[in-house]
Amino acid sequence: MARTAGRAAARTAADVVVPDLTGRRAVVTGGSDGIGLGIATRLAAAGAQVVLPVRSRTKGEAAVASIRRAAPRAQVELHDLDLGSLASVAALGEALRADGAPVHLLVNNAGVMTPPTRQTTADGHELQLGTNHLGHVALVAHLLPLLRDGRARVVSQVSVVAARGAVHWEDPDWERSYDGMAAYRSSKVAQGLFGLELDRRSRAGGWGVTSVVSHPGVAPTSLLAARAEVGRASDTPQVRVIRWLSGRGLLVGTAESAGLPALLAAVDPHPPAAQDACMYGPSGPGRVGGAPARQSLYRPLRDAGDAARVWDLSQRLAGVPLP
């Protein structure tokens, strides 16, 4: 059974053909392990100059070593980044702008999920809103000149939980009450709406930036595993079930296959036109596993009015100006 699952994963991996990316610069958040590491490895193997912003230098150095084992000629550079600190995001933006090289791909992949109790970022925002959404909003704002120079593709990684729910408009930082899953869902809906609004604004303003949305389905990543930084001392029951299913090739994906929708979104030679707004995700039953493909937007991501509202709210909360 394990060999069968491995063969299935290998076939799925062949579904995304990555073109020659020599001379292209890619920034991948959350690239020190799991889905992000898989995406960064594939981009580096295709010749891209990969910028790996990481919170842990130790994990980042291990990720660089892993990428270079897979692609000995890989061009990878580490930078410090804590998406839960707007000052850290600004420092990364300043460093990359000082370097001056255009950015051609930005994959906003990093995230945290369902801390058991409400936690806050360095700036006082609820941890999931601040890390999953506001940190990436600030990153886009600080890198926008480089994204415009590179006529970049921006990929915003959402989640299957964004299929329902909404942004927690009345209390975005969950100060009055806290529900970990609802807060996670709200952060991912906000991230998706922002990504789609970025594309609308770019088309209207002639910025040359294309912004698309993807989701990984369900896979055995570290999101639901033991993570001291979110106050989770042990693996959740959910991740144990996901590992069991994934190991047997049943329904859900693998860490490798879950990165393929974002990879396809990043390199699709014909991204969707404005009137054909869609997202990229696994095409199997329930959209939780299977080969990557374009698919219809989740209902909470379809409201252009909500997207414009998120655009304005995000700038205020992240303290960054956007055109």
Side-chain angles (χ1 to χ4, degrees):
M1 179 68 75
R3 287 194 297 272
T4 300
R7 289 195 296 270
R11 287 197 299 271
T12 302
D15 289 343
V16 176
V17 177
V18 182
D20 181 8
L21 297 176
T22 301
R24 314 286 282 179
R25 199 172 204 208
V27 179
V28 182
T29 69
S32 61
D33 64 11
I35 291 172
L37 177 57
I39 295 169
T41 301
R42 292 288 301 275
L43 296 176
Q49 302 168 5
V50 175
V51 176
L52 216 58
V54 297
R55 196 170 65 87
S56 165
R57 275 274 166 168
T58 301
K59 288 181 66 176
E61 289 164 0
V64 171
S66 172
I67 292 170
R68 288 182 174 150
R69 283 194 298 271
R73 296 184 180 180
Q75 300 177 68
V76 191
E77 57 185 85
L78 277 182
H79 285 265
D80 295 316
L81 174 65
D82 178 359
L83 283 165
S85 164
L86 294 172
S88 175
V89 178
L92 174 65
E94 183 178 4
L96 294 182
R97 290 196 311 274
D99 178 69
V103 173
H104 303 92
L105 289 173
L106 171 60
V107 183
N108 289 327
N109 165 76
V112 295
M113 184 176 182
T114 58
T117 58
R118 182 180 180 273
Q119 297 185 40
T120 57
T121 67
D123 307 285
H125 296 296
E126 188 276 320
L127 185 64
Q128 296 175 99
L129 175 73
T131 304
N132 300 346
H133 177 54
L134 297 180
H136 284 122
V137 169
L139 186 60
V140 168
H142 289 298
L143 295 185
L144 191 55
L146 302 180
L147 296 171
R148 295 182 67 169
D149 287 347
R151 301 190 66 80
R153 180 84 53 87
V154 177
V155 181
S156 294
Q157 187 88 288
V158 297
S159 166
V160 292
V161 305
R164 57 190 179 89
V167 176
H168 202 234
W169 300 110
E170 68 280 9
D171 183 19
D173 276 315
W174 299 82
E175 294 175 302
R176 295 195 289 272
S177 64
Y178 177 71
D179 179 317
M181 180 54 78
Y184 179 68
R185 183 180 294 116
S186 174
S187 74
K188 286 299 186 177
V189 172
Q191 189 176 11
L193 287 169
F194 179 84
L196 294 166
E197 185 66 9
L198 174 61
D199 193 68
R200 294 187 189 99
R201 302 270 172 153
S202 175
R203 291 177 191 273
W207 304 347
V209 175
T210 302
S211 179
V212 293
V213 174
S214 66
H215 75 91
V218 176
T221 68
S222 63
L223 271 182
L224 289 169
R227 295 183 68 172
E229 69 270 24
V230 299
R232 187 184 299 124
S234 60
D235 294 345
T236 63
Q238 296 96 315
V239 80
R240 295 189 187 112
V241 172
I242 292 167
R243 286 175 187 150
W244 189 90
L245 292 170
S246 178
R248 289 157 179 78
L250 300 174
L251 191 62
V252 303
T254 63
E256 178 191 33
S257 69
L260 296 181
L263 188 66
L264 178 60
V267 302
D268 187 347
H270 304 292
Q275 67 272 18
D276 301 321
C278 67
M279 63 183 180
Y280 298 80
S283 58
R287 302 186 182 183
V288 297
R294 290 188 189 183
Q295 51 196 230
S296 59
L297 285 174
Y298 289 139
R299 187 173 298 277
L301 303 181
R302 297 176 189 173
D303 191 317
D306 281 351
R309 189 177 176 188
V310 161
W311 185 266
D312 293 336
L313 175 66
S314 302
Q315 291 179 75
R316 178 171 62 81
L317 294 179
V320 291
L322 283 160

